[in-house]
Amino acid sequence: AQSVTQLDSHVSVSEGTPVLLRCNYSSSYSPSLFWYVQHPNKGLQLLLKYTSAATLVKGINGFEAEFKKSETSFHLTKPSAHMSDAAEYFCVADGPYNQGGKLIFGQGTELSVKP
Amino acid sequence: DAGITQSPRHKVTETGTPVTLRCHQTENHRYMYWYRQDPGHGLRLIHYSYGVKDTDKGEVSDGYSVSRSKTEDFLLTLESATSSQTSVYFCAIRTRGRGGTDTQYFGPGTRLTVL
């Protein structure tokens, strides 16, 4: 069965320091992988997606993620955190195509940014 | 925002009453989804639709029904609301990218409270 595990439920960083949000996946096929961000009381916004074209994926707002097949990881990074980055982040994989495009969500990582 | 609106945005209702949530899209996407979001569970799929009058169950479909009589509208009905259905409900559409890569985009959500 496919699964997505976000290794930290909460990450706290200081403004201007790097951000690392960790995600591992388990799948019997090569999935497409996504990171979504959710600000308080808002919907989910797509940050970036991996679709096998390139292992290093750049997204919006300075975020990027690297797909490492050998480690089954898709960690999200940003060189310098901004206060506006405080939100919840979801790592997501697409499910088997014959299941209607079902998405498999990680549990989420809440990012706090201290001034 | 992929042209997705949800209504109502907030609703408070009483146990045992029927409730219908509406998702409306403006871009003629074939696939539409309903999710619920609860603390500690991430997003879970309730039902999805792959065309007019074509729907299927997700992982948490008990107590919910859906209908899609027009491409642009996907309705979620709680036949007899229970307190366990207090949640935030998100609608999503799926787009097809180059090379067959699919991406889901989410609506702003509906916060439902069942007293």
Side-chain angles (χ1 to χ4, degrees):
Chain A
Q2 289 74 35
S3 66
V4 175
T5 302
Q6 292 181 241
L7 300 174
D8 306 291
S9 59
H10 187 263
V11 170
S12 181
V13 301
S14 297
E15 191 174 21
T17 64
V19 175
L20 171 63
L21 305 183
R22 299 182 294 164
C23 173
N24 286 352
Y25 71 93
S26 173
S27 178
S28 58
Y29 54 93
S30 293
S32 293
L33 295 165
F34 309 82
W35 277 98
Y36 288 87
V37 60
Q38 184 179 32
H39 288 91
N41 300 312
K42 300 290 187 183
L44 278 73
Q45 179 184 17
L46 180 67
L47 269 181
L48 51 80
K49 62 181 178 181
Y50 164 74
T51 59
S52 77
T55 57
L56 183 62
V57 182
K58 294 188 183 300
I60 62 173
N61 300 333
F63 284 94
E64 62 181 37
E66 185 172 9
F67 175 75
K68 293 186 176 180
K69 187 174 182 178
S70 61
E71 299 176 9
T72 61
S73 68
F74 189 56
H75 301 337
L76 182 71
T77 61
K78 182 174 181 178
S80 177
H82 191 273
M83 295 297 292
S84 61
D85 295 328
E88 188 153 22
Y89 292 78
F90 292 96
C91 182
V92 181
D94 64 342
Y97 194 76
N98 60 358
Q99 292 187 11
K102 169 186 174 180
L103 293 180
I104 301 159
F105 283 80
Q107 297 305 308
T109 298
E110 184 177 354
L111 175 66
S112 300
V113 182
K114 298 175 290 187
Chain B
D1 63 358
I4 307 167
T5 57
Q6 293 184 230
S7 58
R9 294 293 314 280
H10 298 86
K11 186 170 182 66
V12 179
T13 190
E14 293 188 350
T15 298
T17 60
V19 175
T20 296
L21 309 182
R22 178 181 183 237
C23 177
H24 179 78
Q25 56 138 332
T26 59
E27 298 181 358
N28 209 36
H29 296 292
R30 179 182 171 198
Y31 280 81
M32 298 182 75
Y33 303 81
W34 277 108
Y35 294 86
R36 61 178 288 173
Q37 183 179 29
D38 305 289
H41 291 278
L43 272 74
R44 293 180 290 174
L45 181 64
I46 305 171
H47 282 280
Y48 68 97
S49 169
Y50 47 97
V52 172
K53 299 193 188 314
D54 293 323
T55 65
D56 205 348
K57 296 179 179 180
E59 59 185 307
V60 289
S61 59
D62 287 348
Y64 301 95
S65 62
V66 290
S67 65
R68 193 166 177 203
S69 59
K70 299 184 292 184
T71 298
E72 58 266 35
D73 288 326
F74 190 31
L75 304 181
L76 176 71
T77 297
L78 289 64
E79 291 135 12
S80 177
T82 68
S83 58
S84 65
Q85 294 176 310
T86 292
S87 186
V88 182
Y89 291 85
F90 288 99
C91 174
I93 58 90
R94 188 174 102 192
T95 65
R96 174 59 62 94
R98 293 178 182 176
T101 303
D102 297 341
T103 303
Q104 290 190 25
Y105 293 91
F106 291 82
T110 294
R111 184 173 295 275
L112 176 67
T113 302
V114 183
L115 301 176

